[in-house]
Amino acid sequence: MRKEQDVGAYEQVGVAMTCRSYQEYVDMFSLTDEILSMGPILDVGAGASSFTAEACQ
């Protein structure tokens, strides 16, 4: 096994995928059922998050 000091820094290649859960977005933006039912929701990030799928439910 290699020691940590032998391993170089991680070089990012391509696109890094990150995601948050529906509940994390609700908490982060203080979303309520009332706010979410006001109209369409624009998923600007449209990343790996399940927010859009869960919000549509």
Side-chain angles (χ1 to χ4, degrees), residues 10-26:
Y10 174 75
E11 182 178 332
Q12 177 64 43
V13 177
V15 177
M17 296 300 286
T18 60
C19 62
R20 290 189 167 88
S21 69
Y22 176 84
Q23 191 58 51
E24 286 178 286
Y25 282 111
V26 167

Side-chain angles (χ1 to χ4, degrees), residues 2-55:
R2 296 170 65 176
K3 294 182 180 179
E4 187 173 322
Q5 69 254 23
D6 293 338
V7 179
Y10 174 75
E11 182 178 332
Q12 177 64 43
V13 177
V15 177
M17 296 300 286
T18 60
C19 62
R20 290 189 167 88
S21 69
Y22 176 84
Q23 191 58 51
E24 286 178 286
Y25 282 111
V26 167
D27 295 342
M28 187 183 338
F29 296 111
S30 301
L31 300 173
T32 63
D33 288 340
E34 181 181 8
I35 291 170
L36 292 169
S37 67
M38 293 175 77
I41 298 170
L42 176 61
D43 182 10
V44 176
S49 169
S50 63
F51 177 81
T52 301
E54 291 186 55

